[in-house]
Amino acid sequence: MPHKIGFVVVSSSGHEDGFSARELMIHAPTVSGWRSPRFCQFPQELVLQMVERCRVRKLQLLAHQYMIPSRVEFYISESLPEYFSPYQAERFRRLGYVSLCDNEMTGCKARELKSVYVDAVGQFLKLIFHENHANKYNVYNQVALVAINIIGDPADLSDESNIASREKLIDHYLGHNTEDPALEGTCTGKSDYISPLDDLAFDMYQDPEVAQIIRKLDERKREAVQKERYDYAKKLKQAVADLQKVGERLGRFEVEKRCAVEKEDYDLAKEKKQQMERYRGRAYARLQLHGLLDAALPLVPPGSPRHQPATLSPPPQEEGVTENRFAEPLLQDKLSSHSLDTSQQPPVDQSLPATHPHLKTHLQSLPYDERPLPAVHKQPGAAAVEPEDGDRDMSEAPRGATAGEPERLTEKALREASSAVDVLGEALVAGAYSKTWSYREDALLTLYKRLVETPVGTPKEDLKSALRASIFLIRRAIRDIVTPVFQASLKLLKMVITQYIPKHKLSKLDTTYCVERTVPVLLTRTGDSSARLRIVASNFIQEIALFKDVKSLQMIPSYLVQPLKANASTHLALSQMDLLARLLKDLGTDDTGFTVDNVMKFSVGALEHRVYEVRETAVRIILDMYKQHRALTLDYLPPDDSSTRKNVLYKTIFEGFAKLDGRPTEAEIRAQKKAAAEEAEKRKKDEIKALQGQLAALKETQAEGQEKESEATKAKDPDAQGRKAAPPSAPEALDTHCLDNLCIFCGERSDSFTEEGLDLHYWKHCLMLTRCDHCRQVVEIASLTEHLLTECDKKDGFGKCYRCNEAVLKEELPKHIKTRDCNPAKPEKLANRCPLCHENFTPGEEAWKAHLMGAAGCTMNLRRTHVLHKPAVPPPGKGPAMSKSGTSGAKVGSKIPTPKGGLSRSSGRTYTKR
């Protein structure tokens, strides 16, 4: 027969402070339930684990009065998926969804109780909450769930023949029920009958103690019916009906008492407490008259944590419970209005969305996976106050266990823990195996106290046996999903390693046993979905890794450098990388278990991980290793070339290396080149402007000289006076002649250096100039390298060698740099660099003339070698020779293929050194 199934909360996507999802594990009038964080992102998620694998038959949700999700989806699974347990790959199977009312009809003063019939087998239930209904009370856009109830039976005991078909569920959902609802409570013989006492509404507004008595009396009533003791059954039935009223009133008194405590009205709280005691006493006295209480009361011992009333403060307002759209007004602040009588409830609204006449047609048109789950319509009368924070016990007492004690070990558990039972006793191990988390935590704390109090003179064999039994229970508790149990296991493990073993002087083998049995399990918990558990597990591993006895074993580093698995969860990979980075800084690589080889192999492999944060941490680890072992680190990385730098990670790594070495990075080099190019361009423009000014001044001087010469010629007289006046004009003519027939680059003078003659001289003969082989411009040899890199038409095809500072074709530059055959250049202040012979020589402008024009100068200057092989020029005074030379110069000048004026413009644009 289906019954109420206990569960624990495995995880939640978040919660507001004071409204943890673990509150859902308690059903009482004063619990508060779960609330999402303020301004959270949707959807929100809850994952519940049932106490055993069950066939779920019915789910019940009690929604908040104004923090209402628009839709709730249900998923079920046999086991946790891989993002909870990294080594399991089970997925959740979608059951469907239900939509919740926006509660506008009641003014957000009542709660909706949604009951859903399902038929699914599993142990894990996931709920997805979609975006909230907007209203004026929900200012933080939150969703909430006050309570959830799961009804089913163990999967192994399910009767497959009783599984309802989908059509039957839809008929039930539409209200086509052929059975009389009045007979529902009498169908105790049906295998799918669900007791009203397992309904969520029963627990949510009944006093917990009275509720347990009612359940006990109901069991006795069923036994009486089976034995055909109908008078006794009638008496029990009446007692149950009376007790339900008593439980409702006691629940109301409890809420009023909590309100009084909240308002610090302690006189009223005391009065309500006394009123509860008197009312409870009278009710029990009436039951005693009928001889019914003796069998019922032992179920509720005073010290049982399961049945203690909640001790947290109530909410400012108490609300009623709705089933779909029936509502009960909220309890008002005045104590007189705190009434839970069902007579105050308005009638059921019959115009429900579920009973719409066109719903059946709409359901058939929807895909099966998108159809809403059928919700059951129950009679009005399910009312409950808003729960507040409950007591800490978050799991029900297992069936068949004695109240206040853990249940006995099963045969399977006895076989599994036989060695621990022999050493620690069955009672302690039973507590560690209990389904109630508080018993598991108490068992670990008891074991902690026992090990601490172990005397020093205890035989070694007994100490080792106790150690191994403790590690067995610790290993099991580390996997526990309940945080207090997990923290108790860490506390016990730390004491064993840091106190128990040193105190009793056990061997290193015992420490090794502790580490190798617990650390791998702890590493899996670093991938937990809860951020707090991940941090606690990671910090604990780091702490024990630095303990001297564990550090000497060098075991934990070996676990951390194991390659990341492809199917490992993101949290697990991130935690492993973070732990490795932290321990590497704390321990180093000198005899600690970390070596350059295992760390670099692990980190280079992690560069290929799918998660960006993992790759980023791997880059950080590689840079840390480079600080300590520069040369060894490079052996595990590809060469630093352009193809490797196409990968952003490797580019980041190599630029990080450059920063650590003090070298400029690629970006800095580009910035320096850009700044140098801009500076050179600016300097070039200034020099061109200055050169143009010089040329203009020369032309002006030349024009003035020619004007003076013409005036002197006109003024010349054939008489002696005129002949006497001629000598003073000779120096002026000589000065004009010197300025007009001078090459400003090499300093050579010639009568043939007219405007066309100078162009020819620049084009072919000047030893200080050369023609660019790529753009055919005439440039100074001193600025040839700069011209090829910044001015030449083919400048994009050249690159600069960082050794010799000369321009080299880009396709030849890698080979040029690799061979290192070039002569290194010296700084410009120390030496000039000839781009023809690639030699360094004395700095300065005059040194360029000596190098390019001197007899022992540049051997690669072709113009110089041509001049050295020319016949000697006749001395001045030989008129015919000079006239012949001038004639030949004129003839040569007439054969220049370059247009007139082109050389002047080119030279004016390229003679940057002048």
Side-chain angles (χ1 to χ4, degrees), residues 613-797:
E613 289 81 0
V614 174
R615 301 194 298 270
E616 190 178 42
T617 308
V619 171
R620 191 169 72 248
I621 292 174
I622 292 174
L623 293 178
D624 291 340
M625 291 297 296
Y626 185 78
K627 291 180 184 178
Q628 305 174 32
H629 312 280
R630 298 179 185 266
L632 295 177
T633 303
L634 295 175
D635 294 339
Y636 297 90
L637 298 173
D640 183 9
D641 51 26
S642 57
S643 60
T644 304
R645 282 182 177 261
K646 291 180 180 178
N647 188 315
V648 179
L649 290 176
Y650 285 114
K651 181 180 179 181
T652 305
I653 290 171
F654 288 125
E655 288 187 352
F657 290 171
K659 289 182 179 179
L660 292 175
D661 293 339
R663 295 183 284 109
T665 63
E666 187 177 350
E668 293 173 346
I669 292 174
R670 285 197 301 268
Q672 291 175 0
K673 286 183 178 180
K674 184 178 179 181
E678 292 175 352
E679 182 66 24
E681 185 70 19
K682 181 180 178 182
R683 188 170 62 250
K684 169 185 153 185
K685 289 180 179 178
D686 294 342
E687 291 177 353
I688 290 175
K689 186 176 181 180
L691 183 59
Q692 288 175 346
Q694 292 176 5
L695 290 175
L698 286 173
K699 288 183 179 180
E700 185 179 352
T701 305
Q702 184 179 8
E704 291 176 357
Q706 290 177 353
E707 189 176 332
K708 289 180 181 180
E709 185 178 356
S710 62
E711 290 177 358
T713 304
K714 289 179 182 179
K716 189 181 290 186
D717 198 18
D719 57 8
Q721 185 179 357
R723 287 192 296 272
K724 288 180 182 177
S729 64
E732 294 180 5
L734 180 61
D735 183 64
T736 303
H737 173 76
C738 292
L739 292 173
D740 193 35
N741 301 325
L742 175 67
C743 174
I744 62 175
F745 297 99
C746 64
E748 182 180 355
R749 288 188 177 88
S750 175
D751 294 336
S752 62
F753 287 176
T754 60
E755 186 174 358
E756 293 182 356
L758 277 173
D759 285 345
L760 177 63
H761 174 74
Y762 296 154
W763 183 252
K764 280 193 169 186
H765 305 300
C766 183
L767 301 182
M768 299 294 291
L769 306 178
T770 186
R771 275 182 291 175
C772 176
D773 293 334
H774 302 279
C775 66
R776 309 305 295 172
Q777 289 187 10
V778 177
V779 297
E780 279 191 283
I781 295 174
S783 62
L784 178 60
T785 298
E786 184 177 357
H787 166 78
L788 292 174
L789 292 174
T790 60
E791 298 176 351
C792 184
D793 296 338
K794 306 292 184 180
K795 62 183 178 182
D796 293 333

Side-chain angles (χ1 to χ4, degrees), residues 61-63 99-101 110-114 321-324:
L61 302 179
L62 179 58
S99 299
L100 297 177
C101 174
R111 299 182 190 150
E112 183 178 6
L113 177 63
K114 182 77 75 172
V321 179
T322 67
E323 177 80 19
N324 289 333

Side-chain angles (χ1 to χ4, degrees), residues 415-430:
R415 289 194 301 269
E416 180 183 327
S418 58
S419 58
V421 170
D422 295 340
V423 178
L424 303 176
E426 185 175 352
L428 192 147
V429 177

